[in-house]
Amino acid sequence: MYDNLQHPIFTIIKELAETTHTECYVIGGYVRDYIMKRPFKNDVDIVVVGSGIEFATLLGEKLHTKVAVYKNFGTAMLVYEGLNVEFVGARRESYRANSRKPIVEDGSLSDDQNRRDFTINAMAFSLNKADYGTLVDPFGGVQDLEQRIIRTPLDPIETFSDDPLRMMRAIRFATQLNFKIAIEAITAITDTKERIQIISKERIIDEINKIILSPKPSVGFKYLFDTGLLELIFPAMYNLHGVDIIDGKGHKDNFYHTLEVLDNVCELSDDLWLRWAAIMHDIAKPATKRFDKKLGWTFHGHEDRGARMVPKLFAELKLPLHEKMKFVQKLVQLHLRPIVLAQDIVTDSAVRRLLFEAGDDIEALMMLCHADVTTKNEFKKKKYRQNFELVKQKLKDVEERDKVRNWQPPISGEDIMLLFGLAPGRTVGQLKNLIREAILEGEIPNSRIEAYQFLVQKAVEMNLTIKQEIPLEISNS
């Protein structure tokens, strides 16, 4: 009977509950995951009928461990044998229309379960001596787990209106667990979607990232789209939806194509930012869509426009604006390049340029481009992916020979200024570019001696004279 409460902290809580005449229950995710036989996490929520802070303080004294108290939230937390244990007093909540911050009163276990977001998160195991380990499941959470469905304990309209973040959580749980959302809950989300605007963007993006990190994020994004939430929280992605037809010519629906690419990436990598690159790779197609009577629909320059859009979208979504944003921006900018290579003859020059521009992100770029092949024509898909293998081998061969990944010029700007007695300016930049282009085009090897000889030749053409020699062997000391 007690297999569900094997960790020693539960027995210790039971003993303290008995001596202090306090009711205690473990509730929420621990109970849900135990019943689902999911891996045990390190976070446990304990609801105390009474003061959670007082009970946690007594327990901390007994265990000789520090207790963190959060008076504003009425909670306290301690760590025991690697387990994060959070205590909260059972409470009854009511809400005002313009806020998701509840008015809180002391309550019973039943009151506390009523305020939970979903039936599968409202189940509790008793930690009381009289019925230790007994499941308290007033809303049929076990049955909902068996039927793989997300339902709210009470009226979903009230549940989502009170705390609109629960709309995002419903979709996130459905995506993570591969559950369906009950039809009445879907209807309630659709009807109350405007309430999401009282939630901070930081809380919303946290839920979006959890959806993106799920095994199949398209499940969540389809829910976000169908309920109308996506248009409110991420309009640029929503705008990818739709197909225009002129003269009988249409284009693919870029929203569903993006979801397919995203799911494909998820099969290759757990990297959140590579997944964001999949979401953003065609984000500028609505802005660049044109119809040509000969060519049909075109999206010329969507990679450049999309790369310029990334910083603004990251800022709006409250995503980080440091190197993670730059990584996504780079992949959006370059995502067509390997596809073009895979469709054409793969030249060393084109491969060198790709390596030069992608640097250490070349493997991530190749994964994105592999995922971007979503054609239903199996012959085309097979051909493109076979060609990608040729491109990948060519990348490996050229990198081993020419060392242009994260390329640094063999002759620096300082060398050029010293050699020709030049001040910083346009001429120095021109000479550096000439060296770079010659190496990328394969005219000269990526070495200091050959670059020097090339530079001297170009200097003669530009009527420059050598003022001071530079060392051609660079010491490693």
Side-chain angles (χ1 to χ4, degrees):
M1 178 180 177
Y2 306 136
D3 287 349
N4 52 351
L5 299 174
Q6 285 186 332
H7 196 283
I9 190 65
F10 297 125
T11 304
I12 297 168
I13 291 173
K14 178 186 73 170
E15 292 169 354
L16 182 61
E18 176 70 11
T19 58
T20 58
H21 307 290
T22 307
E23 279 186 61
C24 293
Y25 302 85
V26 56
I27 196 166
Y30 174 89
V31 181
R32 179 196 68 229
D33 291 343
Y34 173 82
I35 294 170
M36 291 185 70
K37 297 181 170 59
R38 295 179 83 207
F40 173 60
K41 295 181 180 178
N42 290 331
D43 299 304
V44 170
D45 293 322
I46 307 294
V47 63
V48 177
V49 180
S51 171
I53 292 176
E54 288 181 13
F55 188 87
T57 302
L58 289 172
L59 184 62
E61 292 171 359
K62 181 173 182 172
L63 297 175
H64 306 290
T65 190
K66 184 179 177 181
V67 176
V69 174
Y70 307 96
K71 286 187 177 179
N72 288 346
F73 299 97
T75 64
M77 192 186 82
L78 58 80
V79 179
Y80 181 72
E81 293 189 2
L83 197 65
N84 300 316
V85 189
E86 185 166 351
F87 296 82
V88 63
R91 58 197 189 191
R92 180 187 300 115
E93 293 180 347
S94 57
Y95 290 80
R96 291 161 293 194
N98 62 346
S99 172
R100 64 179 289 264
K101 186 176 180 180
I103 300 167
V104 178
E105 303 172 89
D106 292 341
S108 64
L109 172 66
S110 177
D111 291 325
D112 203 86
Q113 289 177 303
N114 286 344
R115 74 178 184 83
R116 298 281 161 170
D117 50 8
F118 310 115
T119 60
I120 62 171
N121 293 335
M123 299 180 289
F125 287 133
S126 171
L127 298 180
N128 306 298
K129 185 175 181 181
D131 57 356
Y132 185 72
T134 299
L135 176 67
V136 185
D137 179 20
F139 304 110
V142 171
Q143 184 178 6
D144 287 343
L145 286 178
E146 291 170 350
Q147 295 180 355
R148 306 181 71 81
I149 195 161
I150 303 293
R151 282 193 311 113
T152 59
L154 304 177
D155 176 17
I157 288 280
E158 183 180 339
T159 297
F160 296 136
S161 182
D162 282 349
D163 184 354
L165 188 64
R166 290 170 176 165
M167 296 188 280
M168 298 294 300
R169 285 171 55 82
I171 293 170
R172 186 250 294 181
F173 276 117
T175 311
Q176 288 178 326
L177 301 175
N178 194 23
F179 280 23
K180 299 289 185 185
I181 302 177
I183 188 64
E184 61 271 18
I186 289 289
T187 302
I189 293 173
T190 305
D191 290 346
T192 60
K193 63 180 181 293
E194 298 290 340
R195 293 276 292 155
I196 198 67
Q197 294 174 87
I198 71 168
I199 303 296
S200 72
K201 289 183 177 180
E202 288 83 357
R203 298 298 297 271
I204 290 171
I205 201 62
D206 184 52
E207 293 297 328
I208 290 176
N209 280 338
K210 288 174 182 177
I211 290 169
I212 294 170
L213 286 170
S214 300
K216 193 174 181 182
S218 62
V219 172
F221 280 104
K222 286 174 184 175
Y223 273 128
L224 289 171
F225 180 85
D226 291 342
T227 58
L229 282 172
L230 189 66
E231 186 175 9
L232 295 172
I233 63 176
F234 193 0
M237 188 177 185
Y238 173 85
N239 290 339
L240 289 169
H241 174 68
V243 176
D244 288 326
I245 299 173
I246 295 179
D247 295 343
K249 295 178 180 178
H251 57 81
K252 63 188 172 188
D253 188 308
N254 288 303
F255 175 71
Y256 291 105
H257 164 71
T258 294
L259 295 188
E260 193 173 349
V261 175
L262 176 57
D263 285 348
N264 288 345
V265 163
C266 293
E267 293 177 5
L268 302 172
S269 172
D270 293 331
D271 187 327
L272 172 64
W273 305 107
L274 179 54
R275 295 180 181 201
W276 266 110
I279 291 170
M280 296 284 195
H281 82 286
D282 280 347
I283 204 72
K285 278 195 168 179
T288 56
K289 182 165 63 175
R290 302 289 184 273
F291 182 77
D292 183 286
K293 288 194 174 183
K294 292 182 180 179
L295 300 175
W297 291 100
T298 66
F299 304 91
H300 294 315
H302 75 273
E303 70 282 13
D304 296 322
R305 183 79 171 264
R308 293 197 300 272
M309 288 172 66
V310 167
K312 184 172 183 288
L313 290 172
F314 264 51
E316 288 174 356
L317 293 166
K318 300 300 182 183
L319 286 164
L321 298 176
H322 49 50
E323 69 277 1
K324 301 303 184 185
M325 181 273 289
K326 292 177 181 176
F327 167 81
V328 172
Q329 188 176 33
K330 181 195 287 189
L331 263 60
V332 172
Q333 177 76 64
L334 297 178
H335 80 272
L336 293 183
R337 296 278 289 281
I339 292 175
V340 172
L341 284 179
Q343 292 171 338
D344 206 344
I345 297 171
V346 185
T347 65
D348 285 5
S349 172
V351 170
R352 270 191 295 271
R353 286 187 179 279
L354 186 59
L355 277 166
F356 172 71
E357 294 183 45
D360 283 339
D361 299 322
I362 187 67
E363 286 83 7
L365 177 63
M366 292 304 292
M367 277 192 273
L368 174 60
C369 293
H370 187 276
D372 199 15
V373 179
T374 62
T375 175
K376 298 298 183 285
N377 184 316
E378 287 301 321
F379 174 77
K380 281 187 179 179
K381 184 182 288 188
K382 185 176 181 181
K383 178 186 173 186
Y384 286 163
R385 289 189 169 164
Q386 284 175 342
N387 284 358
F388 270 132
E389 293 307 309
L390 295 176
V391 173
K392 284 161 69 175
Q393 185 59 47
K394 195 80 168 179
L395 285 164
K396 183 179 178 184
D397 295 342
V398 169
E399 168 60 14
E400 286 177 358
R401 185 180 70 239
D402 296 341
K403 304 291 188 293
V404 292
R405 185 191 297 215
N406 297 319
W407 183 79
Q408 295 295 323
I411 304 289
S412 69
E414 288 76 12
D415 288 332
I416 293 169
M417 288 188 286
L418 184 65
L419 185 64
F420 300 113
L422 295 171
R426 184 178 177 185
T427 302
V428 176
Q430 286 177 330
L431 291 169
K432 285 177 65 179
N433 287 340
L434 286 170
I435 295 171
R436 184 190 69 208
E437 289 300 307
I439 291 171
L440 292 178
E441 285 297 323
E443 295 174 20
I444 61 172
N446 184 18
S447 83
R448 187 170 173 84
I449 292 174
E450 280 81 356
Y452 173 80
Q453 293 169 346
F454 173 84
L455 183 62
V456 170
Q457 178 186 335
K458 291 297 176 184
V460 171
E461 297 172 10
M462 296 170 66
N463 295 319
L464 295 173
T465 57
I466 295 175
K467 303 294 185 183
Q468 181 177 336
E469 289 290 348
I470 59 172
L472 298 185
E473 299 293 334
I474 301 297
S475 171
N476 293 324
S477 60

